[in-house]
Amino acid sequence: MELLKVSGIIIALLLLPFTSAFAPFQNHRCTSYSTQQYKMSKDSSENNDDERAEALEKAVKAMTNFSNKYCENTGTKYCSDKSVPAVVIQGLAEHKVTLGAPLCPCRYYDDKEKEAKDGYWNCPCVPMRERRECHCMLFLTDDNAFVGEETHITEEEVKELTQTSLLG
């Protein structure tokens, strides 16, 4: 069991570079959040940071609720190490804010905006919908070696676990 937990932590750490979890610390421009349009520029970063934080908070709530409902509807479960789904949900929320769609945060894209518009890798991605294969390890079937018992994660857990993951 300890090996399983260590493996889950390693996977979560490997996923971090592919998520947009570090976006608040980078040069960011927001193109859309749901139906709400706003643009970010470097000039008024304090107001933009507040807007971005508010949009990200709403997106984390939406992606957490979506993930919980999707687990319930599909009979899938979260990884035994909850930091894995937390990091993925945070990445989905970041993409929801920056791209307007919950693009899979665990893949590399030459053009994220193009991929988000295409929709193939928007969560739940086509491989998950068609074959129940989740590259991110967000939605796991019972035959997966990393599957846990949980089908629910709270917004507070997502925030806490992603801060813990980001801080070390």
Side-chain angles (χ1 to χ4, degrees), residues 129-143:
R129 290 188 307 243
E130 291 181 355
R131 298 183 301 277
R132 295 174 57 107
E133 296 172 0
C134 183
H135 174 79
C136 296
M137 293 184 52
L138 178 58
F139 305 116
L140 301 178
T141 55
D142 285 329
D143 61 341

Side-chain angles (χ1 to χ4, degrees), residues 33-34 52-70 78 85-86 88-97 102 138 152-159 162:
Y33 173 72
S34 189
R52 180 169 177 37
E54 184 179 328
L56 186 56
E57 189 172 325
K58 288 179 183 178
V60 166
K61 179 178 183 173
M63 295 315 308
T64 301
N65 290 337
F66 155 76
S67 298
N68 289 333
K69 193 68 169 167
Y70 196 79
Y78 292 126
V88 176
I89 290 169
Q90 179 71 28
L92 290 170
E94 285 282 343
H95 282 164
K96 181 78 175 150
V97 171
L138 178 58
H152 189 270
I153 190 168
T154 65
E155 290 172 65
E156 292 74 26
E157 287 175 302
V158 170
K159 291 174 189 174
T162 53

Side-chain angles (χ1 to χ4, degrees), residues 1-9 78-82 144-150:
M1 189 64 171
E2 189 63 30
L3 177 61
L4 187 64
K5 184 170 176 113
V6 170
S7 297
I9 292 169
Y78 292 126
C79 182
S80 58
D81 178 354
K82 273 193 151 176
N144 189 295
F146 298 101
V147 70
E149 292 300 317
E150 297 290 329

Side-chain angles (χ1 to χ4, degrees), residues 83-114:
S83 65
V84 173
V87 168
V88 176
I89 290 169
Q90 179 71 28
L92 290 170
E94 285 282 343
H95 282 164
K96 181 78 175 150
V97 171
T98 59
L99 301 170
L103 184 67
C104 172
C106 304
R107 306 186 75 78
Y108 171 78
Y109 308 98
D110 285 330
D111 185 344
K112 285 184 180 183
E113 289 181 2
K114 180 180 175 282

